[in-house]
Amino acid sequence: MNRLYFLITIIRRELGELYFNYFHDNHVCCSFAELCNGTAQEKMLDLLGVEQTEKIMLQAIVNHETKAKLMKGFVSDMGINMVGNGIAVSIPIDGIGDESGMNYLLEGQEKCCNEVNEMDNGVNDAQYALVIAITRGGYAEMVMDAARKVDVKGGTVVHGKGIGDDFSAKFFGISIASEMELVYIVTKRKNKDELVNAINQYAGMKTEANTAVLTLPVEDVVGLRSVSEE
């Protein structure tokens, strides 16, 4: 089954290295981490008998086989379903910008044989797309300059760390890993290929920004008039 998924795992921060090693043991050699916090209200925490905890979000691109194995293992091996431990979600990917980006994001996994910009994700009627550009730290503006060439008005930048075999330093309190920036841009589905091509051309894997691009289907958008209004 030629499907790829954007896997998001949010867990207690002290479990981060265990999960990173679990990813690595399952041949996920490229992932990204951001520090975050839970938002459960004190009353709910008291009801569950847990305390407010700091979180870490791990994100990775995985093929169908790896996704199924990880989601099952998160429960059976890692106990993610225990109260307060975390949550994992998988989102089908529309496409990846180019073959270099696919090789980078899927290092250690079996590659998808489909065209990189035409993934079989089972979602065909989404009106919008979320374009995620994963770039080196300090190059988000270069990505946005490329996006503006096709009239994109803005995006959101998330600062994170690259974790994997390509990154020589570790993230979990030992040393500082490679700085990464993830640029999130919502666009109309009909415009996504033009946007992806612009990022690939002006800030892609063959430039100093080393940007890999993926797209996710989005059904509805509110609050973004430049995209949601005709």
Side-chain angles (χ1 to χ4, degrees), residues 43-51 83:
K43 183 177 180 180
M44 179 59 69
L45 294 173
D46 291 341
L47 179 64
L48 296 175
V50 297
E51 297 181 353
V83 173

Side-chain angles (χ1 to χ4, degrees), residues 61-180:
I61 287 76
V62 295
N63 61 30
H64 182 80
E65 180 182 359
T66 301
K67 187 265 295 186
K69 186 176 181 180
L70 286 174
M71 294 295 272
K72 181 179 180 180
F74 287 161
V75 176
S76 61
D77 300 334
M78 307 300 287
I80 198 171
N81 56 330
M82 296 177 63
V83 173
N85 271 6
I87 185 174
V89 299
S90 62
I91 306 169
I93 291 176
D94 261 343
I96 293 180
D98 58 15
E99 187 173 357
S100 296
M102 176 179 287
N103 291 335
Y104 166 64
L105 294 170
L106 287 176
E107 181 184 356
Q109 302 178 64
E110 182 180 351
K111 306 301 187 297
C112 179
C113 65
N114 278 8
E115 293 294 330
V116 292
N117 61 348
E118 294 181 356
M119 297 293 175
D120 173 17
N121 61 14
V123 179
N124 298 314
D125 56 355
Q127 298 299 307
Y128 306 95
L130 174 62
V131 176
I132 303 177
I134 303 168
T135 191
R136 292 172 56 193
Y139 284 86
E141 192 58 31
M142 185 173 176
V143 172
M144 285 308 306
D145 284 343
R148 292 184 186 105
K149 293 181 183 295
V150 290
D151 296 325
V152 168
K153 304 302 182 184
T156 299
V157 179
V158 176
H159 299 276
K161 308 286 185 179
I163 302 176
D165 288 347
D166 282 346
F167 305 102
S168 59
K170 288 190 176 181
F171 177 70
F172 303 101
I174 300 173
S175 57
I176 298 176
S178 299
E179 295 283 347
M180 307 295 292

Side-chain angles (χ1 to χ4, degrees), residues 189-208:
R189 186 182 178 92
K190 64 182 181 180
N191 297 333
K192 75 178 179 68
D193 289 344
E194 182 182 37
L195 172 56
V196 169
N197 290 338
I199 296 174
N200 281 338
Q201 180 178 353
Y202 296 105
M205 294 294 293
K206 296 180 180 180
T207 71
E208 59 184 329

